[in-house]
Amino acid sequence: MKVHDVRYEHDLYSDAAIGDPYPHYAALRELGPAVWLTAHRCFAVARYADAREVLTDDVTFASGEGVGLNPVVNRLSRGTTLNSDGDEHAARRRLLAHRLTPRALRSMADDVASQAEAVVAAAVATGEVDGVRDLAQALPLSIVPDLVGWPESGRQHLLRWAGATFDALGPLNARSARATPAALGMMRFSRKVVRERSTLPGSMGSDVLAAADRGELDRSACPALMIDYLAPSLDTTISAISSALVLLARHPQQWDLLRADPSLVPNAVNEVVRLESPLRAFSRVATTSTKVGGQPVPAGSRVLVLYASANRDEREWDRPTELDVTRDASRQLGFGYGTHGCAGQGLARLETQSLLTALLRRVERLELTGDPVPAMNNIIKGWSSVPLRLVPDERRTDA
Amino acid sequence: MRIDIDEARCEGHGLCEEAAPEVFSLDDDAMVVDAFGGGEVPDGLAAAARAAIASCPVAALRERT
């Protein structure tokens, strides 16, 4: 059998597939461990065990040739932590990660909790809200730009830029083409921030500049590092919170379980990220001739790891399409895995948990007042609007 | 079973501690500590230890083979 014999002809990034990718993922899992995607000229790895194996072996499956699906952006992304290997990656990662681990974030927990309280109080007072704009976006936007130290003058573009930075990592299609100017706009602004040293004092951005001053990294690496901090911190968390709202509105008995026992919230966040993984997929390049799940993969092949499929693999999960906040979902791959595993997952968990905890204290139930609208982005699986009624908890007297 | 820790990879995410507090903890530098110091994990804790290994987001933990 030739290596490209197990193949799938559909475009995983058509409008219809972006809106509902799951039937495609189920078909890919059924076909085999490594399926040649004729439309994208890469192998799809859609099963959990194989996805985990590829992410674990970061020597055979390298990130330095880019993790997107188009050569233009893969080249432009060089110099980011996402897009590097070995010692170079480890050095950038250390700089990034030490401010983002749960231990480092402990001092921020109270602040995030009170921001979440304020966001939720305002939304409950309104009653009928857009869950994306009024809850899911409101919290990260009140936390992340200050943490990174992004100057006030560049903030009005942040959501558009950050979304575009992901979108541009898709295949060369109309969406990635439309997104590329905005992604470049973010890079340009970031260069200006580094040149003018306009990061807020005490922020992560200022850490990066100080490290360059000490000669620990090249000044030319700073703009890409700023984007490393900022771009992935918004849409991903926004997607997780939006999906939590949609899922918990659709499954009120799960919401009631959380109300009865809020200590389930951390696990519920894992379960939401499992069932509605914010990142669809990133790719690697095989550095040598190798195998995935026993299937040969030639050297130089691009391999697309489908996190959002692995997390619904019926080989790994019982009742994979069911929301169950009590299941152990901690091994889900929604934050990736291994040396390139999401450096900001501690912050993402903290924000999502804080928002849900604040909602559980004030809201008896979540009711969808219309159909949630899927966001059309090549990389991020999320919602562009979630029309929602927050029914306040009458037992609460101090609201 | 025994556990191998790759200290260069550990970033202190602490999911192992949540999954198996009798086996894993974080020290003051947020570095993971194996309560059995690489020695044999009691049978009664092996399942929890394996779940903790699977939950490590940066692949810093392995079962020694």
Side-chain angles (χ1 to χ4, degrees), chain A residues 85 262 337 353 366 373 376:
Chain A
D85 293 308
Y337 179 69
Q353 290 170 13
L366 307 169
V373 180
M376 302 302 273

Side-chain angles (χ1 to χ4, degrees), chain A residues 52 58 93 101-103 337-338, chain B residues 9 11 13 26-27 54 56-57:
Chain A
R52 196 170 165 109
D58 51 89
R93 170 94 185 189
T101 58
R103 190 60 59 103
Y337 179 69
Chain B
R9 287 188 166 203
E11 295 174 343
H13 289 280
L26 297 187
D27 69 13
C56 175

Side-chain angles (χ1 to χ4, degrees), chain A residues 19 112 199:
Chain A
V112 174
T199 51

Side-chain angles (χ1 to χ4, degrees), chain A residues 217-232:
Chain A
L217 72 132
D218 203 89
R219 182 159 300 276
S220 65
C222 290
L225 272 167
M226 299 277 173
I227 290 178
D228 271 350
Y229 279 125
L230 196 54

Side-chain angles (χ1 to χ4, degrees), chain A residues 37-61:
Chain A
L37 297 173
T38 38
H40 310 299
R41 308 200 57 73
C42 64
F43 288 98
V45 176
R47 295 178 182 172
Y48 178 91
D50 305 316
R52 196 170 165 109
E53 189 184 299
V54 168
L55 296 174
T56 304
D57 186 356
D58 51 89
V59 174
T60 307
F61 299 99

